[in-house]
Amino acid sequence: MFNKLKQIKDLRSQAKQVQHTLERETVHADACGGKVNVVMDGTQKIMTIEIHPELLAQSEKEKIQNGIKDAVNGASKKVQNLMAQKMRSGELKMPDIGGLTS
């Protein structure tokens, strides 16, 4: 029993280390021939969105960029919450990780 608790604690610690590592990573993607650029960290959080001025009115550029960033991050958080809810209800099952669930 205590051995399994230690294994769970070790797995949790490893998961936190992975998350911290991913938070330091960034990826860049573009669309519309390079006129829309996104920077996202390794945890899929959007860091920046840049839209080329010819695609929008300059006076609204920052407002639109922040709106897109906030909307996508909000949707991502809702997906995470939905998955957690489905796992709690039993609709999604955790995989067996090395006999810890037995």
Side-chain angles (χ1 to χ4, degrees):
M1 170 84 170
F2 291 111
N3 189 33
K4 288 188 180 188
L5 291 174
K6 183 183 179 327
Q7 288 176 327
I8 290 170
K9 182 180 176 189
D10 290 344
L11 284 172
R12 184 175 289 149
S13 175
Q14 291 171 5
K16 284 183 182 182
Q17 288 175 343
V18 169
Q19 182 176 5
H20 290 302
T21 299
L22 290 173
E23 288 172 345
R24 291 189 300 267
E25 297 292 328
T26 58
V27 295
H28 303 259
D30 65 78
C32 298
K35 294 179 181 171
V36 176
N37 295 286
V38 175
V39 177
M40 182 181 282
D41 74 9
T43 64
Q44 299 183 5
K45 179 180 178 188
I46 294 178
M47 306 306 292
T48 62
I49 293 177
E50 296 176 357
I51 301 171
H52 192 278
E54 82 179 41
L55 295 180
L56 49 90
Q58 187 64 32
S59 63
E60 298 294 319
K61 179 181 176 186
E62 187 174 341
K63 181 179 178 181
I64 292 171
Q65 289 175 169
N66 286 333
I68 293 169
K69 180 179 80 168
D70 293 345
V72 172
N73 285 334
S76 178
K77 185 69 172 176
K78 287 181 180 181
V79 167
Q80 292 171 4
N81 290 337
L82 177 64
M83 290 299 163
Q85 179 183 4
K86 289 185 178 292
M87 290 176 72
R88 282 192 300 269
S89 72
E91 289 182 62
L92 293 176
K93 305 276 188 221
M94 288 290 292
D96 182 12
I97 45 179
L100 291 176
T101 58
S102 60

